[in-house]
Amino acid sequence: MVRRLVLALIFAIAARSHAQLANEASRYLQEAANSPVKWMAWGDAAVTRAKAEKKPLFVSIGYAANFETFLMQREAFAEALNTKALNEWYVPVLLDSIEHPEIARAYQRVANVTAAPLNVVLTHDLEPYASIGFADAPTLQRFLVGAVNRWDGEREKAIADARANIARAMPKGEPAATLGVPLIETVVDDIAKTYDAKYGGFGIAPKTLRPMTISFLFRYAQYAKHEAIRNVGVDTIRKIAVSAIHDQLGSGFHRATHDAEWGRPQFEKMLEDQALMAMASLEAWQLTRDPALGDLTRATLDFALRDMRAPHGGFDASMDAHSLVPLKRPEQFNGAFYYWGRTELGHIFGDKALRLYALYGIPEIEKSIPLLANRDVLKEPDVGKMVQKMYEIRQKRPSPARDFNEIAALHGLMISALARGGAAFEEKRYLEAAVDAARVVTTKLWDEKKKKLWRNDAATKPRLDALAQDYALVVQGLLDLFDATRDPKWLELARTIHARQDELFWEKSRYTTGATLPAALRGLHVDRDEGTPAANSVAAMNLLRLAAITGHTAYAERANAIFATYSGGLHARGGELAQLANAYVLSQTPAKQVVLVGDARKKETYDLIKPLYEHYTPLRALIFVPHKGVARERMERLLPFVKAMKNDTAEKPIAWVCVRGECQTTSDPLALLKLVE
């Protein structure tokens, strides 16, 4: 009787958990609420049920925007035999890789599968003993039968294999390497091995954007005075810009391509890709002053504001690869929003469509992606009007769905991109949007009383504790906002959140985020600058910037501890740690502290600051101090050393450029730029 009551209670909890998926913050989970598979959310309830029913857990790791993830839900999981197998033999669980990136990456590392979706079968201790990536219905059926047979017939061996899989994936303790210029050159050599000189980019198919690698090359090229290395980064951005991974009609970047030629996109658009590509293309513009690169940066930021911004000022995490097509009944097709055919264009433009076929390379098929090698033709009035009409028609198509789950780390990245772009282009819209996004962080994600950052929107349930990566990227965004607006409140908040990051995550010589990993995976930290930069990579850069702004050497010492800890990683796999290598290159040049004292209302002050934003000046920290008044007093309290830097008349602003305590002054914009570069 007792056992029956316990089982009845468990089944009731499972049914309720499945129904409650509709209330989850993750759209990936929400959309499975009506699935024939009785999915549960990742968490203790699923483990408790698995133990009570003596079943393994089947965990599907993915995200809503990914078409392969969507396709498995619609086809492979919905097939009757697979649905029955999952419901009767397993406890089926969904894990959103956007919400839980550290857990997703840990299982990806164990399974050696990087693409979504990843499906793992777990023991009751959450150890993976079987895994499979994307699979059609028959393949999944064979996998489910094989995995459950191992559980029923050779469980001890399955558990032993699971533990062996984890042991193989654990970091091997890379031997420390000597810090210095040779180490940086090792990273460059590692990246050079993967460079695709023909099509641009790095690595083989499937091919990702790698904007952090591009930014590292820019930083190294400036440090080493190596123009050829700089040109590799610039050339890659230019080739990406005219490829199918870049949406040439509405802008924005797709996640990846399935081929080396950038021709077959993985169509989802992720917020982090827009932010990181905007920053990389902005740096390319600052280095070359090529108007096309400036236009690319603006278009990317404009896309994010137009298509990924929420009404209250925050940003959505992603846009789906798939969208509705009205056939006999509505169907979701991969890339449907972006495809064009000659028949459709012929109906719209008549004989004029011939010009579009030629310019955009549209073949005689009904499903192609328009690609324009030379955007100068858009200046032709007739062409410009036709392209604008194409865009307007496309915007009336059923648009890809968006993931409304606001993530702290992604907001930090977008604040950085908007703040840097707004300052460089003198674009008020971008700065205002950066401030709005920062307000979302400070009002919805940051709890000032508890000094706690939430990873996702505090209004959703369940709320997730922020990771070290969230703290670090929010701090980066606030530092960029301080640099762009010169408003000290953003510096104050950045220092507060960074201090909390130190309290929560600093462990000997690096930041760690092992608390959210299952016990079996503790220690399996995946430190790679892929998709989004790793926590230690961002934190190292933040520490160097805080040291330059405040003059406190303790910040720089902590950054140096990170570099020493990851020296072996930089030596062995530097291409995977491009953002960390970027910070390390920065550390090799003395920081330049620029303290500008003047009247913000005067044109002379504006003219003195402007070149610092328009040119590539990553080695400087800008601090604006009003020549008098309450605002000056506030800055003096925040940074006491500025008290000695006075400008009593403020008829002309004065800039102090200080390196290792030695300062020079100037009021000339060109002289200031020369001192800083």
Side-chain angles (χ1 to χ4, degrees):
M1 177 65 72
V2 173
R3 176 171 171 76
R4 288 180 182 176
L5 288 173
V6 170
L7 288 175
L9 178 61
I10 289 170
F11 285 128
I13 291 172
R16 188 166 63 250
S17 297
H18 181 246
Q20 287 176 345
L21 291 182
N23 298 320
E24 290 284 335
S26 161
R27 188 163 61 84
Y28 177 46
L29 273 63
Q30 291 172 11
E31 292 177 350
N34 297 316
S35 169
V37 179
K38 303 304 181 184
W39 296 107
M40 296 183 70
W42 173 266
D44 293 338
V47 178
T48 300
R49 180 186 158 198
K51 290 178 179 177
E53 297 179 13
K54 298 182 172 55
K55 296 177 180 177
L57 295 96
F58 179 94
V59 182
S60 186
I61 302 170
Y63 56 99
N66 178 257
F67 180 68
E68 283 74 19
T69 300
F70 164 79
L71 199 60
M72 280 203 76
Q73 285 287 348
R74 187 178 69 171
E75 296 182 359
F77 294 139
E79 195 274 333
L81 290 175
N82 291 334
T83 294
K84 184 177 180 181
L86 285 164
N87 289 336
E88 293 185 4
W89 303 342
Y90 297 90
V91 173
V93 175
L94 293 179
L95 186 143
D96 190 326
S97 59
I98 293 178
E99 282 194 331
H100 300 284
E102 78 292 3
I103 300 173
R105 288 170 185 162
Y107 282 122
Q108 285 170 341
R109 180 162 182 159
V110 175
N112 196 26
V113 174
T114 57
L118 168 65
N119 303 286
V120 290
V121 182
L122 307 183
T123 70
H124 297 157
D125 290 325
L126 302 180
E127 304 154 323
Y129 74 86
S131 63
I132 191 172
F134 173 77
D136 59 17
T139 304
L140 179 63
Q141 184 181 343
R142 290 192 294 271
F143 174 79
L144 292 173
V145 171
V148 79
N149 283 342
R150 291 200 68 201
W151 181 256
D152 291 338
E154 47 183 46
R155 188 172 306 179
E156 292 303 319
K157 186 175 187 310
I159 292 172
D161 287 348
R163 291 172 181 168
N165 292 338
I166 293 172
R168 280 193 296 271
M170 283 291 177
K172 298 302 185 287
E174 293 156 327
T178 303
L179 295 172
V181 174
L183 181 59
I184 300 172
E185 293 173 345
T186 298
V187 177
V188 176
D189 291 342
D190 191 43
I191 292 170
K193 294 173 187 175
T194 67
Y195 175 55
D196 184 344
K198 184 175 182 180
Y199 298 109
F202 307 90
I204 57 176
K207 211 166 181 182
T208 55
L209 293 160
R210 302 279 293 271
M212 289 175 280
T213 298
I214 295 169
S215 290
F216 162 71
L217 294 177
F218 289 155
R219 189 70 54 89
Y220 172 77
Q222 186 198 45
Y223 168 76
K225 310 299 182 190
H226 201 310
E227 187 174 355
I229 293 293
R230 186 199 74 176
N231 291 342
V232 166
V234 172
D235 181 63
T236 290
I237 290 179
R238 286 178 173 147
K239 286 177 176 174
I240 286 172
V242 297
S243 75
I245 200 172
H246 176 227
D247 175 5
Q248 295 190 28
L249 201 58
S251 200
F253 292 89
H254 301 299
R255 163 102 290 185
T257 62
H258 296 286
D259 59 336
E261 295 86 354
W262 307 102
R264 294 190 293 116
Q266 187 174 313
F267 282 103
E268 63 262 39
K269 291 180 176 178
M270 313 300 290
L271 186 62
E272 60 264 39
D273 291 330
Q274 315 316 315
L276 289 165
M277 282 302 297
M279 287 188 275
S281 60
L282 175 63
E283 291 171 342
W285 174 77
Q286 290 170 324
L287 285 163
T288 64
R289 306 310 296 273
D290 179 351
L293 294 170
D295 291 344
L296 178 64
T297 306
R298 287 176 177 271
T300 306
L301 295 175
D302 289 343
F303 159 75
L305 292 180
R306 184 190 68 230
D307 289 349
M308 300 193 76
R309 196 181 189 197
H312 56 266
F315 287 89
D316 304 325
S318 64
M319 287 180 65
D320 286 4
H322 40 284
S323 56
L324 286 170
V325 174
L327 297 174
K328 293 181 180 179
R329 60 187 177 86
E331 286 282 352
Q332 295 267 10
F333 277 90
N334 188 30
F337 188 71
Y338 305 100
Y339 283 123
W340 291 83
R342 287 197 174 201
T343 300
E344 182 179 12
L345 291 172
H347 285 159
I348 297 168
F349 298 111
D351 292 341
K352 291 183 179 179
L354 294 172
R355 176 76 165 138
L356 291 175
Y357 302 160
L359 288 175
Y360 278 104
I362 297 174
E364 293 183 5
I365 57 174
E366 293 307 309
K367 190 178 176 184
S368 64
I369 302 170
L371 298 176
L372 189 64
N374 180 11
R375 297 188 68 82
D376 288 342
V377 298
L378 296 177
K379 297 174 184 176
E380 298 177 19
D382 288 347
V383 174
K385 288 178 182 178
M386 285 194 291
V387 171
Q388 178 62 26
K389 189 168 184 178
M390 284 177 66
Y391 167 74
E392 291 170 357
I393 290 171
R394 199 185 78 171
Q395 290 302 99
K396 294 176 183 177
R397 293 175 177 175
S399 61
R402 288 149 56 177
D403 196 331
F404 297 98
N405 194 356
E406 294 170 332
I407 303 295
L410 304 186
H411 275 66
L413 274 173
M414 204 65 226
I415 292 167
S416 285
L418 288 164
R420 295 181 193 185
F425 297 130
E426 304 172 69
E427 184 60 72
K428 188 177 180 181
R429 288 186 304 118
Y430 299 156
L431 290 176
E432 288 175 346
V435 170
D436 286 345
R439 289 192 184 119
V440 169
V441 172
T442 56
T443 58
K444 299 177 74 175
L445 302 176
W446 171 248
D447 188 326
E448 177 62 32
K449 291 182 180 179
K450 295 180 180 179
K451 295 293 185 287
K452 179 183 180 69
L453 186 67
W454 297 103
R455 177 162 172 76
N456 60 345
D457 184 351
T460 62
K461 294 180 181 180
R463 292 186 292 184
L464 302 171
D465 288 340
L467 309 172
Q469 181 193 52
D470 293 295
Y471 279 85
L473 283 169
V474 166
V475 170
Q476 174 187 282
L478 295 174
L479 290 176
D480 282 321
L481 198 52
F482 167 68
D483 187 86
T485 65
R486 282 88 65 188
D487 187 337
K489 73 180 180 183
W490 303 120
L491 175 60
E492 290 175 312
L493 184 57
R495 292 178 71 178
T496 298
I497 295 177
H498 176 81
R500 186 61 175 149
Q501 177 186 338
D502 281 348
E503 293 172 5
L504 292 173
F505 301 109
W506 183 254
E507 185 179 285
K508 295 182 181 178
S509 61
R510 67 168 186 172
Y511 293 96
T512 181
T513 59
T516 62
L517 289 175
L521 301 182
R522 295 283 165 83
L524 210 168
H525 301 286
V526 183
D527 286 300
R528 287 200 299 258
D529 295 321
E530 293 180 358
T532 53
N536 282 281
S537 302
V538 182
M541 188 74 78
N542 290 343
L543 287 161
L544 295 174
R545 294 176 71 181
L546 286 167
I549 293 168
T550 66
H552 295 330
T553 58
Y555 287 124
E557 290 168 0
R558 186 155 285 191
N560 289 333
I562 293 173
F563 297 139
T565 298
Y566 285 94
S567 62
L570 287 169
H571 184 268
R573 50 187 178 91
E576 295 180 2
L577 294 168
Q579 187 76 1
L580 183 65
N582 196 341
Y584 183 59
V585 174
L586 181 66
S587 73
Q588 298 304 291
T589 303
K592 296 180 180 179
Q593 188 183 68
V594 181
V595 181
L596 195 149
V597 183
D599 187 339
R601 298 166 297 182
K602 289 188 173 292
K603 183 177 183 300
E604 291 84 356
T605 303
Y606 165 79
D607 290 341
L608 189 57
I609 294 175
K610 183 180 176 183
L612 299 182
Y613 296 124
E614 291 182 334
H615 293 79
Y616 186 70
T617 57
L619 305 180
R620 55 88 180 150
L622 175 62
I623 303 163
F624 175 74
V625 183
H627 69 292
K628 64 179 180 180
V630 175
R632 179 181 176 89
E633 293 170 3
R634 181 181 183 182
M635 188 62 80
E636 288 178 347
R637 289 193 298 272
L638 184 61
L639 301 171
F641 64 85
V642 304
K643 291 180 181 179
M645 299 170 176
K646 298 184 183 298
N647 184 4
D648 295 329
T649 63
E651 288 300 319
K652 279 190 174 183
I654 299 175
W656 278 259
V657 181
C658 303
V659 182
R660 292 174 176 162
E662 299 287 331
C663 298
Q664 300 181 60
T665 61
T666 184
S667 295
D668 179 70
L670 293 178
L672 175 59
L673 184 61
K674 189 173 181 180
L675 287 172
V676 169
E677 285 184 328

